[in-house]
Structures are given as C-alpha cells and as structure tokens.
Amino acid sequence: MQPQYQPAAIEQQVQQEWADKKSFRAVDASHKPKYYCLSMFPYPSGKLHMGHVRNYTIGDVLSRYYRMRGYNVLQPMGWDAFGLPAENAAMANNVPPAKWTYDNIAYMKKQLKSLGFAIDWERELATCRPDYYRWNQWLFLRMLEKRLAYKKTGTVNWDPVDQTVLANEQVIDGRGWRTGALVEKREIPMYYLAITRYAEELLSSLDRLPGWPERVKTMQANWIGKSFGVRLAFPYVLGGKAGKLWVFTTRADTIMGVTFVAVAAEHALAAEAARRNPKLAEFVEECKRGGVQEAEIATQEKKGMPTGIFVEHPLTGENIEVWVGNYVLMSYGEGAVMGVPGHDERDFAFAKKYGLRIKQVIDVEGRPYSLDAWQPWYADYGVCVNSARYDGMPYQQSVDMIAADLKAKGLGEKQVTWRLRDWGISRQRYWGCPIPIVHCDSCGDVPVPDDQLPVVLPEDCVPDGSGNPLNKRPDFLNTACPKCGKPAKRETDTMDTFVDSSWYFLRFACADQHERMVDERVNYWLPVDQYIGGIEHAILHLLYSRFWTKVMRDFGLVKLDEPFTRLLTQGMVLNEIFFRKTDGGRAQYFNPADVEVQFDDQGKRKAAVLKEDGKPLESGGIGTMSKSKNNGVDPQALIDQYGADTARLFVMFASPPEQTLEWSDDGVEGASRFLRRLWLFAAGRGKDNTKFNLSSAFISITDWSSQPSAIRDFRRGIHLSLKQASYDYERMQYNTVVSACMKMLNLLEGFSGGQGLGSVNAVSQASSEALDILLRVLYPVTPHITCVLWKELGYGADIIDAPWPAVDEAALVQDEIDLVLQVNGKLRGNIRVARTADRAAIERLAVENPNAQKHIAGQTVKKVVVVPGRLVNIVV
RNA sequence: GCCGGGAUGGCGGAACUGGUAGACGCACGGGACUCAAAAUCCCGCGGUGGCGACACCAUGGGGGUUCGAUUCCCCCUCCCGGCACCA
C-alpha cells in the first residue's frame, strides 16, 4: 500500500474499475426490493457548480447506503437541455444553442464522472433529443383530444423595440434588458394545460405524502389556494343595457360595508368606461405598462380612478361607484373585487387615499374602532354590526344567510375558488420542444398526426434577440395541412421547459423504449423512492410533475398517483461577497479566492484585502453563489487539488442537507486532513507508529465481556458512533454521520498507544473490527478511499456490495451510569448509579448528595423528578 | 405585498420525543519536533467574577407554559427561498 494518500491516482483507478465492471448498472428486475433514488437533473449551463456537487453527492450517499442495505438501486442522470440560457449564449457567441448545449453536456458529464457518482449512465437522456421530446408532443395531442389542453389568450411581457416577448428574467426595473425600452403587457393566444381540473386531487393527496417536508406541502397547498366564498353580482344599467358585475369574496359577512367596487384594467367595464373618458383611457394604458410579475404588481403603489359607472348594491340597492384599480388581478377570481375599506387593509388605504367612505360592519369583541388608522383586528372575524337584519350574527351564520338572500335574488351563491391557474405552456422561443400544431387557412389549427411525430426542431438556428428564429425558417415553417393537404404554416411556439422536466423521472425507467412513451418497467421502478433537489423547486416543478403523472395515470400509461414518495429539499450553497465601490458608484465584485482575510489574536476578523494589491475590500455579507456577485467556487479546482472524496466529504460535513451550506476553504482543508489521517492509520503508521495487524478481518473473539474495561470502553465508543451514524443515515443527516466517523478515528488513534489493554491480540482484533465499521460507515460519503483501503486490508472483495455493519447491543451496556443531578432545574453535579438501580435508590442517592444538600439546605423537598437513564431533578 | 423557512461561541454546526447547551470540525493561543518553515503531534479555547472549589449570565429581541425550554405557544426584528416566461 502507498504510504501516502494520493487521491488523484486511487480515484481514477477505482472509477475505471467501476466503469469496466458496469458496477452501477440497474437491472429491471431483482429478488431484492427496488430503490429509485433521483436527484433533479441539471441544466447544462457549462460546468458544474457547487449546488450540483452538493445535490448529487447527497443522492450518491443515499444510493450507496441503500445498496449496502440490500436494495436494487437505480440512480440515473439526464439533462434538462432546453431553455433560455442557450439562446443567450448563442447570441453572445454566435453559436447555435444545440452545439453549445451538447458541448456543455459532454463536459459536465466528464465532471460528474470524476466525482465518482454511482450512476447508471446507460439510461442517460437529454430533453432536447427528438426521441425524448416527441413524447411531450404525443401526450400534448392526447391532452388536446381530452380538452385538457386548450387555446386562449394570455398576458406576456412585450418589448416594443425588439418586437419580442420577454421572460420575466429579461425585464429589469420594468424595461427590456437589451433595449432598455419600457415593457408593456400584451395579450396573445397561447396553449394551456387544465391543471385546475386536478386542483382538488393535487390538494387532497398532499395528505398522503408523509415523506415530504411539511413546509413544501404547506407552500403547495397555499399555491393551489382553495377558498370558500361567495360569488355575487352588482347589477347595473349602462347605455340602456342591463348587466351584472361579478365579484368573488371570502368575506361575504362584510358585504354591508361595501363602499366601492374595483375592476382590473383589462376588465370589460374598464374598457367600456375608457371609451367615453380619455383620462381614464390613459390610466388604463398606464396600468398595462410594466411587466406581468406578481411581485412587481403587488408592491407597486396602489392607484385607482373612478369610471363614472355606478352599480347597485345587491342587498341594499345603494349606488356604488366602479373604480379601476392597478392592484386588481384579472387572472384571479372575476377580475373585480368589492371594496370594504372598513375591514380590508388594502381597501382601507385605498379609501383614505381617494376620500372614499369607510364603514364599520364587524365588531371584534368590542375592540375599539376608529377611522383614523388601520388596526390589525379590523380584519378579524367577529359579529356583524350596522348590517340591518344581519346584526349580531357571527361569521358563518351571516355568510349563510347573505348567500341565501343573494341566491333568492339571483345575484349570487356560495362558490369554491382556486388560486391555482391553468398552466400556459406556449413560449415564443426557439430552443424548446415544438408544439405539434399546423395552422391552415381552411381547417384552422390542426394537430399533427401521430405518425408524423416528432416535429423536429432544426438544430442550426442562431437567435438574434428579435423574435423566434423559427419564423425565419421556411423549411420548418411551411408544410402541408394534415387534413386538406393545402399549404399551411407550422406553429412556431415551443413548450415551457417545465413540460420537459415533468416526466423525465418516468422515462429513466425505460429510456431505451422507442415505440412508446413508457412501458411496464415504469411500474417496477416508480414511484421515485427519494427525490432530491433545491428548495427553489418546491412549488412549480414539483406541482407540474404531480399533475403530469396524474394525467398519465388517467390515460392508463402509468399505475401511480404520486411520482415522489419522499422528498428532500437541499439548501442553497453560499459564499462570502466582497466588493469595492467604483468611481461610478457601482459595486465591483471580487471572487473570495482572490481575497485574503486577516484575523486578530482572538480569531476575530479584522479586515479583508485583495491579494493582488493588498488594499481593503468591503464585505457584502453571505449570499448564494452567483455570477453577478462573483462569489462562485469552481468545483473543478477543488477536485483537481484535493480529489473527489475531499470535495464530497466537505459538502456532506459542512451542514445538514436541508440547510444552506457556507463555503469555506479551511473546511475543505480539514476534510482533506481527516482523509490523510485515515490513510496513514490504515497504512499502519498511526501517530506513534504502532502497527497493528489490520490486514485481516478475521476476528476470533466472540465474547468481549471478559476483556479489560479499556477494551470494552473502546468498543462501546465505536458501537455508539455506529448506532448514531445508522440513525443519521436513516434521517439523512449526513453531517453528523461524518462526525461519527471522525469520532471513530479519534478513538482508534487514541486506542493504539494505550496501556493496560490486555493482550496485543485482543487490541488488534478490536481495532480491526473498529476500522471495518469505520470504512463501511464512511464508504457512501467517500467511496474511493474506502474502496481501496477495504481491499488492501483484506476485509473483502468489494465494499460496494458489503452489508451495512450491525450494532453490537451488548457492547453498549454499561454496569454503571452517570445521571445528571439538578436542584430546581439547575445543574448541581452528577451521581453514578448502578444500571439496575431502582427509582427509590436513585432518589435517596440524589437527596443525600453533598452538592444537592448544599442547595437544598433548610428547604423542604417538594418532589423529585427522575428521568430514567438521564437525570434527577430535586424540586424544593 | 403575499406564501414558506431560518437565526445557537471568533466561524460551520451538534443537542434523537421538553431533560448536562456548545458533540465533531475550522480558526485562534501556548507547547513539542525542526537550523528554519511546512506538515504532524500535545494542551487550551462561550462570557463575567474568583487563586480555587465554584457562582452568575448566555441559544436574534420581548413575554408565556413547565420541576425543567435551543426545543412548545404569542408578539417583534433581521436574513433567505418562491410568486406562475431563470431553471
């Protein structure tokens, strides 16, 4: 064995061996139980970033652990290969998105392999390949047949200079990112998937996902947003014609407090009023300026303008004026809301601003009400007041009666409303899956017949920022109508990339199936037993995937209700941010690798200077690794310098998977140091050069109870750590798994030089057993080094198929245990009692303890709390 | 703005179901080895007071429940994720 740890050499050798033996090929049937471990597939952006390293290491640790536990494990990998960044790169470098994407995939695949992940590469897929996306098209056509896919208009960001649709990301402070032009909202026809038809099931089946984090389920439930309320109408007569203005409210109990009604700028009544009032028309246009992002709309200043149109209160008949409000969303409810300034904070502010009437109609346990300032309890549930026949009624009773009264007049009824909207999938972009529709002057929108699928995207286009290049490709655009055969045009919109990622986990089960979308193997491997990915996907990707799976189930393609049994949402990877203000006042960011941090004697930070010029930098705190803050760390440099095992060990040790992870160069050094120590110890060169016979796993001692206590203490420490690590593997807290391994090595090193240990043979055997356990516990995290040591020391043929070590419960038993002694909950010492001591004996020992006596002195003991095996608390 | 989450020594974090706050690691200080440095090893390391035994304070801030709260409840502050066309 090499005396020194040389990661580069052993990692390459071990990876080659795995590749040659196809060690991680998943078989589609087995007597073992299956385990499908999936990490969210990467977007091929160029090279791996730390978030990828973290994500795939978590998945790999899990996969290897489950294999040791006797499962038939599948861990596949693919590429979420369509998307906007490829088009941006294409424009910047004048290279087709396809070439850029395929080059990135090749490079990143090499990087993934160098990290030693136990991936079955035979199932690799890329969503930009026609043999993948043809099935997007195929299923879209099936959904069209069932009217689960349909066409309607939708709102997009429009850049009036480039004459192109912008993604939200491309709108910066309300302007187009390339042109700087003020962005406008524009209505265009789009295809939608009717996810709202599954709203009820998507919500209710969250309860059947015990393996999902509560926070993710809460977020999804709120996103779906089922609310029980009343849909009601305000009748009006306009230009001699009668009409009804519909609104939805969850607070029908406040209906007697309505003093105005507000509609969205896109509402029909707003358009009607604008035709007769140029000032209002201007305001409606103003509302249409700016982007479509909800965060932007919700934080902008609340503005409104009266329309001069009056409607009739459905219960009192009172005249109520209609306003146009820039905060009313056309996409939620009816695009109109009733204004109750007395009991809605937003309406209160609006009424104050425009001098509208504010009326109290709810009383909350007699709490004071004044029109001067908003108070939080104004919005609470209470009892109706100033509400005629509803006075004195609590919430539910008043809503029931109001709904009944409205219904009697034909002006409303109870209704369930969802926040969830149907999924618009049309994108006016090139690098995506073509929507398989042909537009014919005679026949209209005609679906492409199945036998003409896939509609293949030409891969040689280079976008230029002005619209979709497919519109400039006659060979793609011009086709024959599938129905009548006359010349027709292809749809040039492509699908949202969330479509691609909504079912890739199914395709991994049968990536070589080219006749069908999926085959019966999908029912063997699915559902995914453990899905791992960033918390930023908690809503959209996961919700779309759940929806898509249910649609495929209803089409008879899969037999599962939910795609992911367990979900782990990993935290983001953060690093420090350093910058200097430039002359223009803008921040110039410097990569932490180029920064030297200086400390004072206490180890507190003094200053940070740029290595290049030695001058100080400002700290921008800690933030997610990003290009804009220039605080990313290239994993390749880390792997090249320290090896994959160190990289993996660091990301697992630095924080638990669900929390954010802070980058630390010193932490990496520490991880590397541990592996060097492990290697030196195993190579028989421990700290004092004591050389044990570790070359054999043959252990002849079966009864350790007669061994000296030093040996029994040592084994107890090892088995306690093993027990801890086993527990932590199950709950996926890998940082403490690593900690347990470090404790084991500390014990081993301390043990090798001790005295009074009995026979050298027994010490050697206990050490051998401990190292055997340590290597197996550590293996999923750092597979290369443990693989080599395991083989070199003769523990077995191949650690990848070694079983998980068993805890020797007998080793954990102590004859005497230490209990914590408290008086009034304060720590006052320890008492040592026999393992078998009963409660009375413990209480007596505790009260008699001199330390306890000191604090009891002169007071009466009220009671004694004994927590078995833990503590005694004397209450005086 | 709305929804969700987080905050523990100089730093990353640990503490399992309410039971010794600070495991493990990093940084830092002292020492050994060395001509010297690196590497390695040993010791120390939350704060205040005390020679010491020990006492008191301390888990973002304020309040509550409990024999006992980092853990449960209420209020507040700051930070992070998402908001439907970034993926």
Side-chain angles (χ1 to χ4, degrees), chain A residues 61-62 65-66 69 566 568 657 718-738 740-741 743-744 773 777 804-807 809 812 870:
Chain A
V61 168
L62 192 79
Y65 171 72
Y66 272 90
R69 286 287 196 184
R566 285 170 59 88
L568 183 141
I718 295 293
H719 282 272
L720 270 179
S721 290
L722 169 60
K723 191 171 186 175
Q724 178 71 48
S726 302
Y727 179 73
D728 289 338
Y729 265 112
E730 288 300 321
R731 62 172 178 159
M732 291 183 284
Q733 186 167 292
Y734 302 125
N735 55 327
T736 43
V737 165
V738 174
C741 290
K743 283 182 191 171
M744 284 194 255
I773 290 169
V777 172
W804 185 252
V807 175
E809 293 290 341
L812 304 180
R870 281 198 181 269

Side-chain angles (χ1 to χ4, degrees), chain A residues 350-657:
Chain A
F350 193 81
K352 278 275 186 190
K353 182 169 180 175
Y354 294 107
L356 300 171
R357 201 156 58 92
I358 301 171
K359 192 178 162 196
Q360 182 190 8
V361 292
I362 299 292
D363 177 78
V364 181
E365 292 163 359
R367 296 193 74 169
Y369 195 99
S370 120
L371 302 183
D372 298 339
W374 175 260
Q375 300 297 338
W377 60 87
Y378 294 179
D380 287 351
Y381 293 107
V383 170
C384 294
V385 292
N386 306 321
S387 301
R389 61 183 300 228
Y390 311 109
D391 277 355
M393 289 185 187
Y395 174 77
Q396 197 55 58
Q397 193 189 349
S398 64
V399 170
D400 289 348
M401 185 173 268
I402 286 164
D405 290 350
L406 287 167
K407 192 163 189 181
K409 293 184 163 194
L411 291 176
E413 61 188 328
K414 284 192 181 174
Q415 196 192 37
V416 171
T417 294
W418 304 86
R419 209 188 76 96
L420 182 69
R421 310 198 296 258
D422 278 344
W423 175 13
I425 60 156
S426 294
R427 297 291 179 270
Q428 297 68 46
R429 257 181 268 294
Y430 157 64
W431 190 234
C433 167
I435 294 177
I437 295 286
V438 171
H439 301 290
C440 170
D441 286 341
S442 320
C443 311
D445 299 343
V446 183
V448 173
D450 287 356
D451 61 11
Q452 290 175 31
L453 295 183
V455 175
V456 177
L457 185 74
E459 293 198 345
D460 54 355
C461 292
V462 181
D464 60 8
S466 64
N468 186 340
L470 290 178
N471 287 313
K472 300 164 196 164
R473 285 287 298 245
D475 57 333
F476 177 83
L477 200 56
N478 296 321
T479 184
C481 171
K483 237 184 210 169
C484 68
K486 280 194 251 174
K489 303 278 188 206
R490 280 194 192 283
E491 170 70 51
T492 57
D493 279 1
T494 53
M495 294 185 195
D496 180 3
T497 55
F498 275 124
V499 172
D500 309 325
S501 56
S502 288
W503 68 282
Y504 75 105
F505 43 87
L506 303 173
R507 186 71 187 167
F508 279 135
C510 50
D512 56 359
Q513 170 58 263
H514 296 296
E515 304 303 313
R516 285 180 283 156
M517 188 173 186
V518 291
D519 61 32
E520 57 288 340
R521 285 174 291 176
V522 85
N523 294 320
Y524 170 70
W525 285 113
L526 273 289
V528 171
D529 294 279
Q530 179 69 55
Y531 196 33
I532 305 155
I535 181 67
E536 67 273 20
H537 295 292
I539 296 175
L540 292 178
H541 162 62
L542 290 168
L543 191 64
Y544 291 146
S545 297
R546 295 179 61 219
F547 161 64
W548 197 276
T549 300
K550 289 173 193 296
V551 170
M552 284 182 69
R553 173 202 63 193
D554 290 348
F555 287 174
L557 296 165
V558 297
K559 291 178 191 151
L560 73 155
D561 295 319
E562 287 287 338
F564 314 119
T565 304
R566 285 170 59 88
L567 173 69
L568 183 141
T569 50
Q570 61 156 1
M572 316 273 289
V573 182
L574 315 177
N575 199 4
E576 289 202 71
I577 299 164
F578 295 103
F579 69 94
R580 258 182 209 153
K581 282 269 166 37
T582 59
D583 295 340
R586 291 183 62 171
Q588 185 191 356
Y589 292 94
F590 295 91
N591 195 279
D594 304 323
V595 176
E596 189 192 334
V597 178
Q598 299 169 338
F599 297 93
D600 68 11
D601 294 352
Q602 270 80 49
K604 282 190 197 174
R605 168 176 296 194
K606 238 172 25 183
V609 300
L610 187 65
K611 282 178 188 165
E612 202 182 319
D613 59 15
K615 290 180 187 154
L617 293 170
E618 288 186 62
S619 169
I622 308 254
T624 53
M625 287 189 178
S626 72
K627 265 192 192 136
S628 62
K629 296 284 162 64
N630 190 15
N631 65 339
V633 172
D634 184 1
Q636 199 55 50
L638 173 64
I639 299 164
D640 292 344
Q641 191 182 346
Y642 291 98
D645 280 340
T646 293
R648 297 168 58 119
L649 185 68
F650 168 72
V651 295
M652 289 301 95
F653 183 53
S655 70

Side-chain angles (χ1 to χ4, degrees), chain A residues 13 18 27 44 48 61 64 108 112 236 256 270 275 344 367 371 473 537 604 636 689 705 717 750 780 797 813 818 832:
Chain A
Q13 171 209 325
W18 290 337
V27 286
L48 291 187
V61 168
R64 290 176 186 270
M108 290 169 75
L112 286 174
Y236 62 86
M256 302 304 274
R275 267 199 289 280
D344 179 279
R367 296 193 74 169
L371 302 183
R473 285 287 298 245
H537 295 292
K604 282 190 197 174
Q636 199 55 50
N689 272 334
S705 62
V813 177
D818 286 319
R832 175 159 290 195

Side-chain angles (χ1 to χ4, degrees), chain A residues 152-157 185-192 292:
Chain A
K152 69 167 182 180
T153 61
T155 318
V156 293
N157 303 303
K185 296 186 189 73
R186 180 171 273 213
E187 303 279 320
I188 59 167
M190 305 209 297
Y191 283 95
Y192 284 80
V292 298

